[in-house]
Amino acid sequence: MRPPDLTQVTSIKNIKTRFAPSPTGRLHLGHVLSAFLVYAIGKKVSAQLFLRIEDHDQGRSRQSHIDGILEDLTWLGFHFESSHIYLQSDHFDRYESYFQKLHELGYTYYCDCSRKTISRRIGTDKSQLTYDGYCRNRNLGPGEGRGVRIRQESYTFSWKDLFLGPQVQTFDGLTGDPLIRERQGNWTYQFAVAIDDLVESMNLIIRGEDITHATGGQSYIKSLIHGKDCGAVYGHHPLIVGPDHLKLSKRLRSTTISSLREQGIEPEEVFRQIAKEIGIGERKNPIGLSELIEEYWNGRT
Ligand code: GLU
């Protein structure tokens, strides 16, 4: 994984970036890689580094995971802007007020379709669903079991990804309206992250490439509020994969950072593994975070 060319970032003023784990479990090596890249790139361009705990899904988030994530990050030596640990659960009023604004402008609508009814109607597997717009013109009001969707008009978003190179995502404006609030009442990842990135002026977004598909939709939501895309730089980094090409997080579910710590493994050992993942060679010796950042930019092998 070659260090990215940061020319497009250096022209931005007041660079802000964030590491945004979801507290639905403990951190594993894949998260450490992501935090490392946010940190290494952020430091290189003198960005402010924020931690955002993405606990928008109240059914799956746990306070014990939030505490554990903070503990793991401190143990590893990551220090974010300490007065600004953002919790999405502190932002529910924020999401509500942006939703109200969008609703008044006619960009959203209530929807009572379950995944099952959608998949029956369009005849595809539940995992392949693209919403067909069934509720777009039904004028439903709020109510029990009703979610909210954004009208996804035709939209093209192109960006020069720090890791993936030029990207283009296009929406035809006919299908695919994303949920911003689920039928059970949770704000969705797609809405919460777009609103937070916009309101918090996050202009450097580094995250795993498994989220690349969501970027055009997030840009669209931001553009509805801001009038145009707000010009963040994105970098979707490769994931850690095992020999069987399963994501490490899935393959080694039990290997959390906390269990490594309990086994007496030191942070430097964790970073030696990260060094291997990003191609800084098979190191004989453990390596600390600052030294790894230096080696990453020096491209040493
Ligand atoms: N919360 C997401 C995750 O843990 C990251 C989202 C993002 O960085 O936009 O995978």
Side-chain angles (χ1 to χ4, degrees):
M1 193 185 305
R2 284 169 59 81
D5 174 355
L6 299 178
T7 317
Q8 55 172 327
V9 186
T10 45
S11 61
I12 303 176
K13 288 200 189 81
N14 300 327
I15 307 173
K16 287 183 169 186
T17 190
R18 81 294 193 283
F19 174 56
S22 303
T24 52
R26 293 295 295 263
L27 297 187
H28 51 70
L29 211 58
H31 290 109
V32 182
L33 174 63
S34 218
F36 170 76
L37 291 169
V38 169
Y39 214 75
I41 295 171
K43 291 256 176 219
K44 185 78 177 168
V45 295
S46 305
Q48 280 181 282
L49 300 154
F50 294 92
L51 176 64
R52 180 196 298 142
I53 302 288
E54 298 208 319
D55 60 344
H56 61 93
D57 184 340
Q58 290 290 283
R60 293 174 62 226
S61 300
R62 301 276 175 275
Q63 183 60 45
S64 58
H65 294 320
I66 298 177
D67 298 340
I69 288 171
L70 297 177
E71 205 179 300
D72 292 345
L73 290 172
T74 305
W75 178 74
L76 287 162
F78 290 109
H79 298 289
F80 295 91
E81 300 278 331
S82 56
S83 56
H84 286 92
I85 293 171
Y86 293 111
L87 286 178
Q88 287 189 321
S89 54
D90 289 339
H91 296 167
F92 291 159
D93 289 353
R94 174 189 281 182
Y95 307 143
E96 180 68 39
S97 87
Y98 278 95
F99 154 58
Q100 289 300 341
K101 273 185 206 155
L102 291 172
H103 200 62
E104 276 159 30
L105 293 168
Y107 290 131
T108 62
Y109 61 90
Y110 287 93
C111 169
D112 61 1
C113 299
S114 65
R115 291 171 67 79
K116 206 162 150 193
T117 56
I118 304 166
S119 100
R120 243 195 251 131
R121 199 166 52 235
I122 63 178
T124 37
D125 189 79
K126 272 202 249 174
S127 61
Q128 308 279 325
L129 289 185
T130 302
Y131 189 61
D132 58 355
Y134 182 77
C135 289
R136 262 190 179 191
N137 301 313
R138 288 178 70 208
N139 290 321
L140 295 176
E144 182 79 16
R146 289 186 182 169
V148 177
R149 291 183 186 271
I150 291 243
R151 285 174 210 279
Q152 174 69 67
E153 301 296 349
S154 85
Y155 184 69
T156 297
F157 182 54
S158 321
W159 76 97
K160 196 170 159 219
D161 196 280
L162 291 178
F163 292 94
L164 303 174
Q167 300 291 306
V168 184
Q169 287 179 3
T170 300
F171 302 92
D172 62 12
L174 300 173
T175 58
D177 294 345
L179 271 175
I180 63 166
R181 193 170 207 167
E182 290 169 0
R183 291 168 66 235
Q184 297 74 16
N186 271 318
W187 297 103
T188 60
Y189 160 70
Q190 192 69 340
F191 189 61
V193 85
I195 298 297
D196 284 342
D197 283 339
L198 183 68
V199 173
E200 292 158 12
S201 308
M202 293 297 164
N203 45 23
L204 174 61
I205 296 175
I206 314 285
R207 55 191 179 191
E209 69 181 1
D210 53 337
I211 303 178
T212 315
H213 65 91
T215 299
Q218 289 171 16
S219 162
Y220 177 67
I221 294 172
K222 292 190 221 178
S223 75
L224 291 180
I225 293 164
H226 199 249
K228 58 180 167 50
D229 173 70
C230 50
V233 171
Y234 291 90
H236 296 89
H237 62 78
L239 303 179
I240 294 179
V241 292
D244 50 1
H245 299 287
L246 285 178
K247 275 200 247 170
L248 186 90
S249 55
K250 290 204 177 126
R251 194 168 60 90
L252 297 178
R253 275 211 168 102
S254 58
T255 315
T256 59
I257 299 307
S258 63
S259 75
L260 294 177
R261 185 163 75 231
E262 276 154 24
Q263 289 163 37
I265 288 170
E266 295 294 330
E268 290 75 12
E269 198 52 55
V270 175
F271 287 119
R272 169 157 68 170
Q273 184 60 31
I274 295 293
K276 209 167 130 189
E277 299 297 340
I278 58 179
I280 307 187
E282 291 281 342
R283 297 186 54 90
K284 283 208 190 67
N285 300 318
I287 181 167
L289 175 57
S290 315
E291 203 191 337
L292 182 59
I293 293 176
E294 224 170 278
E295 289 210 9
Y296 178 63
W297 291 114
N298 289 342
R300 282 189 11 211
T301 53

